[in-house]
Amino acid sequence: MTIIELFEVFSSDDRCRELLERLRWPNGPECPRCFGKVVRLTDRAKLLYCKECDYQFSVTSGSIFHDSHLPLIKWFTATHLLCEAKKGMSALQIKRTLGMSYKTAWYLCHRIRAAMATAEKGMLEGVIEMDETYVGGKYKGPGAKAYRLVNKEIVIGIKQRGGDLRFFKSEDVKSGTLARYIKDNVSKECEVIVTDELTSYPGAVKQSGIDGLRHETVNHAAGIYADGEITTNGIESAFSLLKRGIVGSWHRVSAKHLPAYLEEMTFRFNRRNSKTLFLDTLRHMVTADPLTFEKLTADKESVA
Ligand SMILES: [Zn+2]
């Protein structure tokens, strides 16, 4: 769907609401509190009413749209833009494009991201590539080289060859930590995991408890980058997309919100060939719990 088609199809708040109702309640509206039958208060009105528990609500109540005063078409447009932008889009760009304050745009983007994060993630299968990278870090003063890693956040990437991607913000790259990511994301039937020669990986693969998981390493130091199936090229190109997103679109990402950006990036990447990415995103938005501004900004390093 192009942005022109989006404006044609969703020309009014009612049209947007109709779609959200179909996505939230495929079998017709029901009460979010008691799951009872509901009536519409007036014809074509947005309000629904449950007699059983005397509760009045709309399709956006108790969802990521909760308490928003923005017209739904702005929500739909922002969602469309985020879905189409492979490298992500900054709140500043959304602010300019949609004509809203920076704070509103920032909060809007984070709510869409929070909805994306609720998507189910299956276990990865087949050939797995795993790698670690360092992102962020603006410190360039004296001793910057020594601070190279202190200054940055660690991102662990796991990718099924030809399949889904997972990113995680990690505290360290110790064997035990990496083992947990393998255990939580890699299927017990997996054949082989390819990593670089970081010394934590052999222990991590062992500790993951996956019987018969073969561990292959790519020797980057020796300049060998792809030996048949023994390559980490897939996860490395995913990292380069992430870095282009951070440098080119988001400009700066605080450590606190990094996991949210990682969720956005992987959600979009894993649906890169899907024709229903936009609808899928809206469906998560209308079924996800609200994210209040207070919760999002609960501590001081938050607004970035
Ligand atoms: Zn009810």
Side-chain angles (χ1 to χ4, degrees), residues 66-86:
H66 196 76
D67 266 352
S68 170
H69 301 295
L70 283 174
L72 287 174
I73 187 59
K74 290 206 177 188
W75 276 94
F76 276 41
T77 310
T79 304
H80 186 274
L81 292 171
L82 286 197
C83 285
E84 292 298 314
K86 281 196 178 62

Side-chain angles (χ1 to χ4, degrees), residues 31-38 50-55:
C31 175
R33 287 191 178 164
C34 72
F35 304 103
K37 279 212 155 184
V38 298
C50 173
K51 236 186 202 169
E52 295 293 319
C53 65
D54 186 29
Y55 178 48

Side-chain angles (χ1 to χ4, degrees), residues 17-251:
R17 207 170 287 282
E18 276 166 28
L19 175 68
L20 293 181
E21 285 194 9
R22 272 188 282 131
L23 291 170
R24 182 167 181 177
W25 300 298
N27 303 313
E30 62 179 24
C31 175
R33 287 191 178 164
C34 72
F35 304 103
K37 279 212 155 184
V38 298
V39 291
R40 215 168 276 281
L41 280 179
T42 49
D43 195 35
R44 277 175 59 81
K46 64 177 196 178
L47 289 177
L48 297 155
Y49 177 69
C50 173
K51 236 186 202 169
E52 295 293 319
C53 65
D54 186 29
Y55 178 48
Q56 189 175 300
F57 60 97
S58 80
V59 65
T60 53
S61 302
S63 75
I64 214 81
F65 298 92
H66 196 76
D67 266 352
S68 170
H69 301 295
L70 283 174
L72 287 174
I73 187 59
K74 290 206 177 188
W75 276 94
F76 276 41
T77 310
T79 304
H80 186 274
L81 292 171
L82 286 197
C83 285
E84 292 298 314
K86 281 196 178 62
K87 290 176 280 172
M89 188 172 274
S90 68
L92 197 63
Q93 187 65 52
I94 295 280
K95 167 199 144 155
R96 288 195 207 105
T97 309
L98 292 182
M100 54 179 64
S101 74
Y102 178 75
K103 185 175 150 183
T104 302
W106 181 83
Y107 182 29
L108 177 62
C109 292
H110 266 297
R111 279 179 290 178
I112 297 171
R113 251 170 233 134
M116 289 174 166
T118 65
E120 291 259 338
K121 298 172 189 75
M123 299 298 262
L124 304 175
E125 290 169 348
V127 178
I128 304 297
E129 294 180 20
M130 184 169 180
D131 203 359
E132 70 291 332
T133 194
Y134 298 84
V135 300
K138 290 284 177 219
Y139 181 73
K140 293 198 172 70
K145 212 166 184 185
Y147 281 106
R148 192 170 68 91
L149 304 185
V150 178
N151 212 9
K152 289 174 181 269
E153 300 301 329
I154 303 166
V155 175
I156 304 295
I158 310 180
K159 190 178 177 300
Q160 172 178 328
R161 188 158 305 156
D164 276 11
L165 170 71
R166 309 274 180 265
F167 280 152
F168 304 97
K169 173 178 178 279
S170 185
E171 288 308 309
D172 57 64
V173 291
K174 292 175 186 161
S175 290
T177 310
L178 300 179
R180 189 162 40 80
Y181 288 120
I182 298 173
K183 195 167 176 244
D184 291 348
N185 296 283
V186 173
S187 153
K188 291 231 178 290
E189 277 81 54
C190 241
E191 311 148 22
V192 58
I193 184 162
V194 188
T195 71
D196 61 16
E197 294 194 311
L198 183 76
T199 52
S200 323
Y201 281 117
V205 174
K206 219 173 197 175
Q207 288 173 53
S208 71
I210 302 178
D211 287 338
L213 179 61
R214 203 170 87 235
H215 179 213
E216 300 283 359
T217 52
V218 180
N219 186 353
H220 282 171
I224 300 164
Y225 286 92
D227 173 18
E229 73 165 15
I230 305 163
T231 152
T232 48
N233 288 351
I235 191 66
E236 283 166 37
S237 45
F239 277 153
S240 81
L241 189 66
L242 171 70
K243 289 182 178 186
R244 277 182 279 148
I246 290 174
V247 175
S249 310
W250 298 320
H251 308 299

